[in-house]
Amino acid sequence: MSPFQSSQGAPHAAILGIGAYRPSRVIPNADIVAAIDSSDEWIQQRSGIKQRRWATPEETVQLMSVEASRKALAHAGLDARQIDCVVVATVSHMLQTPAIATAIAHELGTEQAAAFDISAACAGFCHAVSMASDFVRAGSARHVLVIGVERLSDITDVGDRGTAFIFADGAGAAVVGPSETPGIGPVVWGSDGEQYDLIRQREDWRDVVASKDPVMPHLTMQGNPVFRWASFAMAKIGQQALDRAGVSIDDLDVFVPHQANMRIIDAMARSMKLPERVRIARDIAEQGNTSAASIPLALDRMIAEGEARSGDTALLIAFGAGLAYAAQVVTVP
Ligand code: UT7
């Protein structure tokens, strides 16, 4: 017999509320094409992006996170004091330490909730939802606040043809808590470190400091190999997430893939043979690619516009730098 006990949590976990924050600066393609010798037509054809949102200096990672979280808490009908863990998925909080999560937890008014950041790039939100679900079911936490937040405009080179038109800013939040029935299905996740260099921060900070002419390290992406990988490999991961949750494609109502490129979204929907009636998130057209924030932002828009209804079955699938990916079926709150 062991001399101590392990924790026990709720039978199931679910997303209880969703919230989003879209920064105030709307940047149409016309405003960025000159610096990259591109055109509105090319950007729309290749990526589906018409405009993106970039944050003002005041719209910090913390501010956007707090605003999105307050909306998620209101949607869930919970008070910040009921949150006992905050997980922030981001790659654009500019301090190596401490995690921005502790400042967010404090500003929200949690009672010293556990708080930490995770780094899984565009797949961060789905990683964090999976962790939150496990925490709730294992009894490590009762209500977990999951935040996906980015200010990619800080680390995007506006003169880089391969990335300047894609990346954007925003925050999305979800409250994960106990449920009588399954609301978050088993995660299917993984990584392919052989493709580590395809999307990455260009320079190591030590090289920046050693340089005679230091520049901010920016994101760099070999877009086409990532495009091919995402279009073909990710549909299989989505199918596995459906299979592991025991959900047939005919029972699916909503598809919320990472908003990386409209052509990737269409390719995945075709490969998975999604029925016509499944509503598909297409937030990228107005919002750009916001990495860890893209899935909660897209789901929030679908809920607001009546495309996703409470109780709907949704498939989330996220992928990006690492390369890292994660997918799960969830019930729309
Ligand atoms: O969020 C994390 C995960 N990220 C992704 O999933 C992004 C995946 N990748 C993509 O979305 C796409 O690769 C891009 C939208 C970035 C690029 O589209 P593509 O169809 O892969 O274009 P490409 O890089 O193969 O370039 C095609 C052509 C080239 O010209 P040639 O060689 O065919 O004459 C490029 O020089 O388009 C040219 N090009 C551009 N033209 C105008 C490349 N960038 C631009 C540009 N404007 N910005």
Side-chain angles (χ1 to χ4, degrees), residues 22 88 139 240 246 267 280 294:
R22 295 176 195 271
V88 177
Q240 284 172 26
I280 301 176
S294 92

Side-chain angles (χ1 to χ4, degrees), residues 35 72 110 208 228-229 239 263:
T110 70
V208 172
R228 282 184 272 117
W229 168 77
Q239 186 58 55
R263 287 157 61 215

Side-chain angles (χ1 to χ4, degrees), residues 50-70:
K50 295 181 187 155
Q51 61 175 45
R52 74 281 297 130
R53 293 208 178 213
W54 286 349
T56 62
E58 295 73 36
E59 290 172 317
T60 60
V61 164
Q62 183 169 335
L63 180 142
M64 295 192 290
S65 299
V66 167
E67 293 295 319
S69 300
R70 287 193 175 129

Side-chain angles (χ1 to χ4, degrees), residues 36-38 42 46 122 161-162 165-166 199 221 223-224 226-227 258 260-261 263-264 289 319-320:
I36 52 172
D37 184 21
S38 188
W42 190 93
R46 295 283 172 148
C122 304
R161 285 185 113 199
F165 64 95
I166 286 197
I199 312 171
M221 175 168 73
N224 200 261
V226 178
F227 179 90
H258 168 46
N261 183 320
R263 287 157 61 215
I264 297 176
N289 176 343
F319 49 86

